[in-house]
Each structure stands twice: as structure tokens, then as C-alpha cells.
Amino acid sequence: MKAGRIKVLIVDDSALVRRLLTDLLSSDPGIEVLGTATDAYVAREKIKALNPDVLTLDVEMPKMDGVTFLRNLMRLRPMPVVMVSSLTEDGAGVTLDALAAGAVDFLPKPKIDLAATLGQYREELLEKVKGAARARVRPLASAPISERLGPDAILPKRAAHHFRTTDRIIAIGASTGGTEAIKDVLMAFPPDAPGIIIAQHIPKAFSTSFAKRMDGCCPMTVYEAEDGQQVLPGHVYIAPGDRHLLLRRDGARYVCALDNGAPVNRHKPSVDVLFRSVAQQAGSNAIGVILTGMGRDGAIGLKEMREAGAATIAQDEATSVVWGMPGAAVEIGAVAQVLPLDQISDAVCRLANDSSEAA
């Protein structure tokens, strides 16, 4: 990103949405809206003429849909793109296609008829556009800010249990860029890998589709986690987009627990909550992995995992879309290994097979 204000081009076929996004983005002195476009063809010419830093792109547009345009753009002129999508099952599938094609992030369509929610929407929009401006793009081969709660709001900190079981648990947390990073990691695991539990910042409308998509492309069986579901080897459990996912012990078994408490670090699911529960319930039998993401969610929980004897890994800066969460974990000493994305699965498998490996 160039120095100075972040220059944004808005692409949407709705005049109301274009006006609203323009007003919300222009309210931040660090952002300049260069212009708007009604379809992909107008957008193509304005990108050439205006050279924006970030594009907001409608998924459904006339003449050429947003994903097709995105694929062309990422091949010819890679740049940070934030998709604007409807929160429906169909919209979720298309948005996941867009993330696979190189979009940095996404957010729902603004609810124009609900003025009371626009302050919260503005904060999310500004955060995502600013994050996109800092992101590493992968070429295709006003209401007050809500209180930022810590993981204590869901799960108080306490000493880890020390169990004699040798069952391994792998816990993964991610945010911006995480849907593709998680796919890359899961596809490299063998079908009999230890049970994996995942917290990815994603809306509920998208988490079901994301879990189904991962199940279709990964050697392991992938579920959207359910409360009380046993965590088994060869299976992956992804947090629903409107619940915290925690690990619990039920006798000799590990099980998933879902919690409908307040957002933590403004997220539900929260990676900190997941990692803290794993530190407390699995201790040194766990392996924690923090992948690409904006913000600091997961850093504290990963440090608690390491202090409980777990092995901990962070994705490196060069392969992260946004090195916020992994960078924060490294900064506070939560991480034993920092690795490129394509080395993480092998490292986790080695650690899982070597119970004597120290964190």
C-alpha cells in the first residue's frame, strides 16, 4: 500500500449500496473513495484510470458476476479485494469461491433499512478495508465500538489438567485469509490424523458451507461442530459461526462444547476461547496452530497452551495474507515454531507422532 490515505473503488450494481458504502468509507479520514462502478466492465476501466489500493466488489452483478471478474483481475492485475455478499447459503458458496480466487476478505451487504446497525457495520467495513490494504495478495496460479472482551468472559483461566491419555488434539485458529489456509493445511493431513478442532472467524451462514466444502476436498471427515460431539482421530470439527467452540473432557473422551456467550475480542467463535479450553483440558497432549488473520485473537490462548506443555506453531509472515494474529502470538512468546504454510501439516504430524517432543 502506498503512503497516505487508502484509495478505494466501490463496485456494486445497487445505487443505494454504492452511496452507503461511499458515505461510510468517506467518514474515515484515512480512506479516500476514488469512485464507483456499476459493473465489471466499468470497474476495469476505472481501475486502469484511478489505480485504487483496495476494491470492494459485489458478488452478484449484471454482465459479469463478481467471482468471474475477480478471477480475471487476480490473473492480470492482482490487488486487495473485499467481497460484499448476501448472508445466504447460496451467497456463502459464491463468497467461498471468491476467497479461493484470491479475495482478501468479505462482509455482508449492508442492511439499508436498519439504521441502528450501521454504526457496527461501519466499524466492520473500515476494519476490513484497512486490513485488506495491508494484506499480501495471492495472484491466482457511527455507534461506539463494542467492548472488547477477553476469554475470561467465556472461560476463566485456571491450571491445566494433567491426564495420562496419549490421545492427541490439534487446535487451529484463523481469521482473514484463513479459509484457504485451513484448506491447504487440512488437505495435507493423512486420513488418520489426530482429531482437529478449528475456530475460524466466519458468519454462521458461511460456516456450514465452509465445513461441507472442506469435507469434500480433505482426506479427513469434516463437520460443523455440534455440542457434545466426540472428538475422534480422522475427524475435523469447525466452530459454527455464531458459537464459541471449546474442548471438554467426558471421562476418557474429548468432546466439543458450544457456548453462546458474548463475543471475545469481538469474535464468536473466538480463537482465544478455543485455545484456552484446549490448554486446560488437553495440556501437553495438544498441538496449537495459529494461521493468517487480522487482530490479536488467539495469541493469549496459544501462550496458555504453550505454558501447559503443548507444542505451538504460527504461520510465517511471508505466507500469511495478514500477519496480525500469528505476529501477535510470536510477539508475546506463545510460539515454538514459525513455519511457512506448506510446512505446517508435516510439522504437526511429526509432533503428533513423537510424544516426547517438547514445546
Side-chain angles (χ1 to χ4, degrees):
M1 183 188 70
K2 298 181 289 294
R5 293 197 290 176
I6 300 167
K7 298 175 176 59
V8 180
L9 178 66
I10 297 167
V11 185
D12 200 294
D13 67 330
S14 165
L16 283 173
V17 172
R18 291 196 304 273
R19 180 73 263 164
L20 182 57
L21 293 179
T22 297
D23 290 345
L24 294 176
L25 289 170
S26 298
S27 70
D28 189 299
I31 295 175
E32 177 185 0
V33 177
L34 296 177
T36 64
T38 56
D39 61 50
Y41 295 96
V42 175
R44 182 176 60 188
E45 298 307 312
K46 290 201 172 183
I47 289 170
K48 293 177 183 176
L50 301 174
N51 194 31
D53 300 315
V54 177
L55 200 70
T56 70
L57 179 60
D58 188 9
V59 169
E60 298 177 357
M61 294 189 300
K63 300 182 182 178
M64 182 187 297
D65 67 86
V67 177
T68 300
F69 175 63
L70 176 68
R71 290 189 179 115
N72 292 335
L73 181 68
M74 299 309 286
R75 188 177 70 252
L76 301 172
R77 203 276 196 194
M79 63 180 297
V81 176
V82 176
M83 303 302 294
V84 180
S85 169
S86 60
L87 284 177
T88 64
E89 187 170 350
D90 289 342
V94 174
T95 302
L96 291 170
D97 288 340
L99 294 172
V104 170
D105 210 338
F106 65 92
L107 77 163
K109 285 273 191 178
K111 296 179 180 178
I112 300 168
D113 56 334
L114 296 178
T117 67
L118 284 182
Q120 181 179 348
Y121 186 85
R122 173 184 176 274
E123 296 297 338
E124 183 179 12
L125 173 66
L126 296 177
E127 181 180 47
K128 288 180 181 288
V129 166
K130 291 176 181 179
R134 299 191 300 269
R136 291 169 185 78
V137 177
R138 298 181 300 104
L140 193 62
S142 143
I145 298 175
S146 59
E147 182 183 3
R148 187 185 293 273
L149 298 176
D152 287 345
I154 304 300
L155 183 64
K157 186 175 181 179
R158 58 179 172 78
H161 292 299
H162 295 284
F163 296 102
R164 295 178 180 176
T165 178
T166 57
D167 291 346
R168 289 289 193 162
I169 291 290
I170 300 166
I172 299 174
S175 184
T176 312
T179 55
E180 285 302 294
I182 287 169
K183 182 180 77 172
D184 289 347
V185 170
L186 292 183
M187 287 180 67
F189 278 118
D192 60 349
I196 300 174
I197 50 179
I198 296 175
Q200 159 74 38
H201 298 161
I202 196 169
K204 170 59 180 171
F206 289 12
S207 59
T208 302
S209 294
F210 178 53
K212 290 178 180 177
R213 183 168 295 208
M214 293 302 97
D215 185 54
C217 68
C218 300
M220 302 176 73
T221 302
V222 183
Y223 302 100
E224 185 176 40
E226 298 179 5
D227 194 54
Q229 191 173 21
Q230 185 176 357
V231 179
L232 296 170
H235 294 72
V236 180
Y237 308 85
I238 296 175
D242 60 350
R243 295 289 189 274
H244 294 296
L245 174 60
L246 297 86
L247 183 71
R248 297 286 194 214
R249 291 291 302 218
D250 180 11
R253 307 183 308 160
Y254 292 116
V255 297
C256 297
L258 300 183
D259 187 287
N260 196 25
V264 169
N265 302 319
R266 297 196 209 138
H267 296 291
K268 190 164 81 170
S270 162
V271 182
D272 266 334
V273 170
L274 174 64
F275 284 173
R276 173 171 287 183
S277 73
V278 173
Q280 293 179 359
Q281 299 296 317
S284 61
N285 290 325
I287 301 166
V289 179
I290 192 163
L291 301 175
T292 175
M294 189 161 45
R296 303 182 66 87
D297 187 34
I300 291 173
L302 194 67
K303 187 173 184 182
E304 292 176 9
M305 285 186 65
R306 191 176 189 192
E307 290 170 347
T312 57
I313 296 173
Q315 183 177 355
D316 71 357
E317 186 171 6
T319 62
S320 294
V321 175
V322 179
W323 207 57
M325 288 163 48
V330 171
E331 178 186 325
I332 66 170
V335 178
Q337 297 184 65
V338 180
L339 297 172
L341 183 64
D342 63 3
Q343 296 180 22
I344 288 176
S345 297
D346 284 346
V348 170
C349 288
R350 285 195 301 270
L351 289 165
N353 290 329
D354 184 3
S355 59
S356 65
E357 185 81 29

